[in-house]
Amino acid sequence: MVFNSLIFLLFLAVVLALYYPLNHRSQNRMLLVASYFFYGWWDYRFLSLLVFTSLFDYVCALKIEAENRAARRKLLLAASIFVNMGVLGVFKYYNFFAATLQSALEPLGVHLDFPTLHIILPIGLSFYTFLSMSYTIDVYRREMPATRHPLDFMLYVAYFPHLVAGPIVRASYLLPQVQRPRVIKAAEVENGIWLIVIGYIKKVVIADRLGQFVDWSFAHPAAPFDNLNAWVVIYAFAFQIYGDFAGYSDIARGLAKLMGFELVVNFRAPYLVTNPAAFWRHWHISLSTWLRDYLYISLGGNRQGKWKTYRNLMLTMLLGGLWHGAGLAFVLWGLFHGLLLAVHRWWSKWRGLPAHGADPHLNGWPGRLKMFFLAAVFFQITCLGWLLFRVGGLRHGESQWGVVKSYLTAMFHFQGTHLLLNFIVPVAMLGALGLFFQWRNQKMDEFSQWSGSNKAFALATALALITVMGVFEGAQFIYFQF
Amino acid sequence: MTSRRIIIGMVGLSAAACLLYAALGRTLARSIDARFGQRVLQLTSGKTTDARMFIQMRLREAVLLLTVGALLALAQLLVASWLKRRVRPRAAWILSALSGFVCLNAFALVAAHTVLFWCLLFTGTGTTQYITQYQIKCGLLREIQAPQKAVLLGSSQTRAQIDEEILNDRLGKQLWTTELHFPANQVYDMLLNLEDLPPVKVNYVICYLSEGNFIVGPESPGLMFFLNFRNLPEFYRMGGALTQANRSFAYGLLGNALPLFRLRDPLLGRILGPSMMNLSQEEWDQSLVTDLATRARTAAAVYHLGPNTVFQKKAFDVFAAKCRQRHAVLIVCCGQVNPILARMMDPSLRADLLAFLRGRAAEDTNIVLLEPAQLPVQTEKDYLDLNHVNTAAQARFSEFIAGVLDNLMRTNRPLEHAAR
């Protein structure tokens, strides 16, 4: 059941109709049933995995909290991490690692014959295992108490707006909202409606429209254009993936607001930033903070010297890449971003700039022009990464490296270039719409404060935009595969 | 306050435009015609016969659209201010947005009935959406000044077989033919097309029917542009079932409720450009096997009798009855497909088609059935693919149809002197 389907809208109507009249405890029970129904709609067999993961971590957290011996606590935490990573390993990474190991040892004359597992990846697995794991880690770190209510914890993990594609909301943030009675505020409902509407625009207008062009382009074994125009395909993908994922996050946040919940902001203005550190504070924020808090800091962060900081950055981003998909292209995409972060860190240190990469507030048009130029340059660099990311999603067997090579050759072939206006114009229009949402992202979150006529005008325009430009074939969200 | 001023200004402007048109419309059209008449005829490439009439009607439509736009904006302003006074602010903006959306749809509904609007969506020959071309030609049917009129209805096969320009070159002074095909049309879609025609006297309805119009199905893109809620009772009376209720069907009904939705493809063609909109067609073309025999083998497997055949035959009966009601002679060319495909198809399909059409022609004197043996012979060499003939074959066939029409008009007997 995807958010952009008729069946989901019917499901939502039923859930909301049932939700509002119920008391807090009944609301939680009903939401849990609804969330399991929502998840089971894809494949009910994977529900057992979701229930198992939740219950296992619930019990682990209780035992960790009750235990005072450091070694036992560590062991229990290790058990939780082992089970979560084990589930991920079996369902997501086993075939990739087996094949990689086989091909790596082949030149050394070692012939391994790992069996191939013919299993499909449970939808949203990476999201809910990270979500669940963060809870046991937080309890272990004594940053939050373990809950005594299994249903509350199960709802925290399975809550349908964030279940299959995030945001990865930390237990310390969402669990208290599950546990206490929610207050439905009219202003938040308005904000929720607007977030849902702009989420649909991002998904069905920007992402799915551009997706048709991107899919058509990548259906060819090589870049379909033989010159600089290949960039247009990558730009289209950049805005497609933004629309797809940011759209999903907006809808998820909007749905949560309708029910009195608050999920974290997952996207701000990732294509309007000037450096990689800022990019990761604007793109998939819930994952980057998760990786920072549970992986980068656990590895030592920046407290162990210059080289170890670079190592930690690279390692964190490599695993971040691997989180996205079991494939070499995703690993390289992670390394690419790790490298960008390391270079940026080195550059900032060298120039005496803040390492966190906050964009300086430059006044006047020369400052703005400089920011615009830097953002445009950094966008090109981000797009190179998106090429790897898109190729990682190819399923039809041709050489992924062949595709990357053909695109890179085309993208940097500066001779005899003619502009493919018939594709540049629509990509630019839809991209501009995406940039508009990024530019005004703060304003979008404050919808309830707009004047009544502005709200009415915005909603009518949005409805018209979705009606005319939306793709209603129920396309899957890209991040479901992760 | 600013929006109120703008709307009041718009209403004033449209009132002025109406007055100006009433006073000077004809004169203006005449003077534009004097300067640009030839260019207009050239641009419309034979779709209109009278440049002055064309210009005058477009001016009228421009005034109409301006007026409707201004009135709807005014209505929206009044509704919004009423809501502001009477409804709680939390709900007022939502209702106001919905009324704005309704106004936009109302405007789209009016605009879709004007040729001017469709002309604005025209992106050039070969790149424009079929629906845009269809609506322009359909709208211009009202303006054609000819003693008699004919329309060509059917799928792309009808378009490939009969060239309206050849018919109009030969018979244009007595009979003007407008080609209104829609790709992948089946008989039910043709029935919807017939009901969609403007209320003008049409003397002849010509269609080229082959196995594909009755057998392959049930997804036909035409439904999404022509199906309305009012068609549903008849659809179910004809035995239409959920098998026909596919995506096009649902989109058709949604489009009937939301005119903006129905206009999405042509609007997108204009906004995003035809290249973006033709990607799926291009993908389809690329996926086609180049070897015709292999393609025919795959296609032949799809051609079979089934519930859709029964439904399409019932649709034909209603189609024929509606032609009779309109006092339009129904000329049915009992057509064929590429012989390569015909050889691979179940032979009973052809027999079934012929028996059905002969039976109906025997019962209904309003149907002029052109038997396969009477039609110009078309061999494998005449075909570009499995269904569509080349221009030489098209020209021969069009000349033959021109002869048929000429005979019908003169002697009421279709095949006298018709060159085969």
Side-chain angles (χ1 to χ4, degrees):
Chain A
M1 203 189 299
V2 284
F3 286 171
N4 51 328
S5 65
L6 189 63
I7 190 75
F8 175 76
L9 296 179
L10 292 173
F11 165 82
L12 180 66
V14 172
V15 167
L16 291 179
L18 292 173
Y19 181 80
Y20 290 123
L22 294 174
N23 63 33
H24 167 237
R25 279 282 141 216
S26 305
Q27 279 180 340
N28 282 1
R29 278 192 286 273
M30 191 277 291
L31 278 181
L32 183 63
V33 173
S35 299
Y36 282 161
F37 178 80
F38 172 82
Y39 192 72
W41 189 265
W42 275 284
D43 194 330
Y44 65 91
R45 289 168 300 177
F46 290 129
L47 266 177
S48 53
L49 198 64
L50 176 63
V51 175
F52 167 74
T53 310
S54 309
L55 285 178
F56 188 83
D57 284 330
Y58 168 75
V59 174
C60 269
L62 280 178
K63 292 216 176 286
I64 289 170
E65 191 179 55
E67 188 57 61
N68 288 321
R69 287 165 292 182
R72 288 294 295 271
R73 285 169 58 81
K74 210 170 253 181
L75 195 69
L76 284 164
L77 177 68
S80 165
I81 293 175
F82 178 79
V83 166
N84 282 298
M85 297 313 283
V87 169
L88 265 179
V90 169
F91 284 93
K92 189 167 178 177
Y93 298 110
Y94 170 80
N95 286 339
F96 166 65
F97 283 125
T100 309
L101 197 63
Q102 264 173 347
S103 51
L105 293 178
E106 205 93 327
L108 305 174
V110 181
H111 298 287
L112 296 173
D113 195 16
F114 290 112
T116 305
L117 294 182
H118 296 285
I119 45 176
I120 49 169
L121 175 67
I123 209 153
L125 181 69
S126 308
F127 285 93
Y128 73 72
T129 47
F130 267 43
L131 203 77
S132 192
M133 218 155 54
S134 75
Y135 168 68
T136 48
I137 298 172
D138 282 352
V139 173
Y140 172 79
R141 289 177 175 174
R142 299 193 198 280
E143 285 174 7
M144 67 174 295
T147 177
R148 258 81 189 146
H149 297 282
L151 290 186
D152 285 355
F153 180 69
M154 287 162 91
L155 175 58
Y156 154 68
V157 176
Y159 183 46
F160 73 86
H162 72 58
L163 174 60
V164 289
I168 306 170
V169 194
R170 307 270 279 275
S172 55
Y173 186 81
L174 188 59
L175 200 51
Q177 297 184 50
V178 174
Q179 289 168 324
R180 64 168 184 255
R182 267 91 51 187
V183 181
I184 313 280
K185 294 179 189 152
E188 285 308 307
V189 171
E190 283 187 352
N191 286 335
I193 291 172
W194 182 240
L195 278 173
I196 292 170
V197 170
I198 61 170
Y200 276 118
I201 292 179
K202 287 178 188 176
K203 170 61 183 165
V204 300
V205 175
I206 301 176
D208 290 350
R209 273 284 154 220
L210 289 171
Q212 293 174 338
F213 171 57
V214 174
D215 291 346
W216 171 83
S217 304
F218 278 94
H220 294 78
F225 311 122
D226 60 356
N227 51 38
L228 275 176
N229 292 303
W231 282 96
V232 179
V233 181
I234 309 300
Y235 293 156
F237 179 65
F239 287 106
Q240 182 200 355
I241 194 164
Y242 164 76
D244 195 280
F245 198 16
Y248 183 93
S249 299
D250 285 343
I251 297 171
R253 286 181 59 219
L255 292 172
K257 277 177 190 285
L258 295 186
M259 291 176 259
F261 287 92
E262 190 65 49
L263 302 183
V264 292
V265 175
N266 215 14
F267 287 84
R268 290 192 198 280
Y271 295 153
L272 299 176
V273 298
T274 58
N275 61 70
F279 177 81
W280 285 104
R281 282 200 319 281
H282 286 253
W283 180 274
H284 203 174
I285 300 165
S286 62
L287 176 70
S288 50
T289 49
W290 196 101
L291 291 172
R292 183 196 65 198
D293 295 348
Y294 296 110
L295 193 60
Y296 178 70
I297 291 175
S298 302
L299 288 168
N302 56 5
R303 290 161 302 174
Q304 295 170 329
K306 190 168 66 174
W307 296 109
K308 282 195 175 169
T309 303
Y310 292 143
R311 181 205 64 184
N312 294 343
L313 274 176
M314 295 295 285
L315 209 55
T316 305
M317 293 316 291
L318 181 145
L319 291 171
L322 200 59
W323 177 89
H324 283 86
L328 209 52
F330 288 112
V331 172
L332 286 177
W333 176 75
L335 279 175
F336 172 78
H337 273 279
L339 193 67
L340 288 181
L341 285 168
V343 170
H344 174 256
R345 191 173 179 84
W346 167 80
W347 171 263
S348 303
K349 289 264 173 206
W350 186 55
R351 296 291 305 268
L353 300 168
H356 53 72
D359 288 327
H361 293 286
L362 298 172
N363 295 321
W365 68 265
R368 287 201 187 124
L369 203 62
K370 187 183 170 192
M371 291 288 291
F372 176 80
F373 175 74
L374 289 175
V377 170
F378 183 66
F379 178 67
Q380 314 306 313
I381 297 169
T382 313
C383 283
L384 288 177
W386 288 135
L387 174 61
L388 286 169
F389 196 94
R390 181 60 180 80
V391 166
L394 288 183
R395 289 278 179 271
H396 45 87
E398 75 265 11
S399 157
Q400 294 185 337
W401 301 119
V403 177
V404 172
K405 209 175 132 194
S406 81
Y407 266 89
L408 288 177
T409 312
M411 286 156 81
F412 293 100
H413 181 252
F414 295 98
Q415 283 176 350
T417 298
H418 64 278
L419 289 177
L420 271 173
L421 278 175
N422 44 0
F423 286 116
I424 290 173
V425 171
V427 170
M429 282 172 71
L430 293 168
L433 188 59
L435 286 178
F436 172 79
F437 283 122
Q438 297 190 18
W439 177 49
R440 308 298 282 173
N441 74 88
Q442 191 65 39
K443 196 90 180 148
M444 296 294 150
D445 268 10
E446 296 160 355
F447 181 74
S448 60
Q449 294 166 30
W450 297 13
S451 72
S453 53
N454 281 355
K455 281 192 272 193
F457 177 76
L459 184 62
T461 309
L463 288 177
L465 202 60
I466 292 171
T467 308
V468 174
M469 297 183 77
V471 177
F472 298 106
E473 268 81 79
Q476 288 277 2
F477 287 83
I478 295 174
Y479 265 68
F480 279 15
Q481 61 185 302
F482 308 139
Chain B
M1 205 57 201
T2 317
S3 64
R4 184 171 294 189
R5 275 191 201 139
I6 292 172
I7 290 165
I8 291 167
M10 266 183 77
V11 172
L13 186 70
S14 66
C18 285
L19 288 172
L20 196 70
Y21 177 78
L24 296 170
R26 281 175 187 218
T27 320
L28 192 61
R30 215 174 9 247
S31 58
I32 294 174
D33 177 35
R35 259 195 98 175
F36 302 107
Q38 282 307 313
R39 180 88 184 113
V40 168
L41 286 178
Q42 209 181 339
L43 282 172
T44 52
S45 59
K47 302 291 181 285
T48 184
T49 46
D50 185 344
R52 193 188 58 78
M53 164 80 93
F54 182 86
I55 294 163
Q56 191 182 332
M57 294 305 280
R58 300 303 73 78
L59 285 174
R60 181 189 288 185
E61 286 173 349
V63 172
L64 173 79
L65 288 180
L66 187 67
T67 310
V68 170
L71 290 177
L72 285 171
L74 185 66
Q76 168 61 16
L77 186 75
L78 294 173
V79 169
S81 61
W82 183 83
L83 286 169
K84 211 173 178 178
R85 286 197 310 275
R86 298 293 174 92
V87 183
R88 281 184 304 145
R90 292 281 181 213
W93 71 267
I94 295 184
L95 294 175
S96 185
L98 291 178
S99 86
F101 185 59
V102 169
C103 285
L104 276 174
N105 277 283
F107 182 77
L109 183 68
V110 176
H113 283 86
T114 63
V115 174
L116 176 66
F117 172 76
W118 291 102
C119 285
L120 294 174
L121 300 182
F122 189 78
T123 52
T125 322
T127 60
T128 304
Q129 301 273 316
Y130 289 112
I131 185 65
T132 305
Q133 301 182 37
Y134 175 94
Q135 295 288 7
I136 291 174
K137 288 187 280 185
C138 198
L140 289 176
L141 200 55
R142 267 184 279 238
E143 297 164 28
I144 299 297
Q145 303 290 315
Q148 296 195 61
K149 288 173 189 170
V151 290
L152 294 169
L153 294 182
S155 64
S156 55
Q157 229 189 345
T158 303
R159 165 77 188 86
Q161 290 286 347
I162 308 166
D163 182 357
E164 63 176 346
E165 284 183 27
I166 293 177
L167 300 189
N168 289 333
D169 280 348
R170 268 195 59 181
L171 309 168
K173 284 186 180 140
Q174 311 118 3
L175 172 78
W176 187 266
T177 305
T178 302
E179 179 270 307
L180 291 173
H181 90 283
F182 205 80
N185 255 6
Q186 293 187 281
V187 183
Y188 182 65
D189 306 296
M190 288 159 53
L191 170 61
L192 296 180
N193 291 158
L194 185 71
E195 290 180 350
D196 192 53
L197 290 181
V200 291
K201 168 77 181 145
V202 172
N203 305 81
Y204 300 98
V205 172
I206 309 162
C207 46
Y208 184 92
L209 296 179
S210 70
E211 290 88 330
N213 299 98
F214 286 89
I215 291 149
V216 181
E219 180 96 30
S220 48
L223 285 180
M224 72 173 85
F225 296 108
F226 303 110
L227 187 71
N228 295 316
F229 281 103
R230 66 163 191 270
N231 301 121
L232 285 185
E234 195 169 61
F235 175 81
Y236 286 108
R237 258 203 310 278
M238 289 188 304
L242 283 177
T243 46
Q244 272 94 11
N246 45 37
R247 193 170 59 97
S248 296
F249 188 92
Y251 277 22
L253 294 180
L254 190 57
N256 188 214
L258 298 174
L260 262 184
F261 185 83
R262 184 159 281 182
L263 296 179
R264 48 194 258 116
D265 279 3
L267 278 173
L268 274 174
R270 169 49 78 194
I271 298 168
L272 297 181
S275 306
M276 215 51 179
M277 295 305 294
N278 292 337
L279 286 175
S280 49
Q281 179 67 43
E282 200 170 312
E283 231 168 282
W284 162 256
D285 291 345
Q286 282 170 358
S287 71
L288 288 174
V289 186
T290 44
D291 175 35
L292 272 189
T294 316
R295 207 195 295 176
R297 205 167 299 119
T298 319
V302 183
Y303 283 63
H304 55 83
L305 296 170
N308 189 48
T309 319
V310 178
F311 174 74
Q312 298 299 342
K313 282 178 179 174
K314 285 185 181 165
F316 180 85
D317 290 340
V318 180
F319 178 69
K322 294 212 166 162
C323 285
R324 201 168 45 244
Q325 273 171 22
R326 288 187 75 121
H327 305 292
V329 176
L330 173 58
I331 303 172
V332 178
C333 306
C334 195
Q336 61 171 66
V337 291
N338 188 328
I340 300 174
L341 174 60
R343 277 197 297 275
M344 291 184 191
M345 278 194 310
D346 176 0
S348 67
L349 301 179
R350 184 89 186 138
D352 183 79
L353 173 74
L354 292 176
F356 172 73
L357 291 178
R358 282 171 186 155
R360 291 301 181 268
E363 287 168 13
D364 187 345
T365 51
N366 191 50
I367 300 176
V368 174
L369 182 68
L370 301 174
E371 290 271 2
Q374 296 167 330
L375 301 174
V377 177
Q378 290 177 337
T379 64
E380 289 168 29
K381 285 179 188 160
D382 293 318
Y383 280 84
L384 296 169
D385 54 27
L386 296 179
N387 294 296
H388 307 108
V389 290
N390 57 31
T391 44
Q394 184 195 45
R396 280 202 307 278
F397 197 90
S398 305
E399 288 291 347
F400 166 76
I401 294 293
V404 168
L405 289 167
D406 194 21
N407 283 328
L408 270 173
M409 284 188 293
R410 285 192 290 110
T411 64
N412 211 24
R413 286 153 70 183
L415 292 167
E416 200 165 277
H417 309 304
R420 283 196 58 202

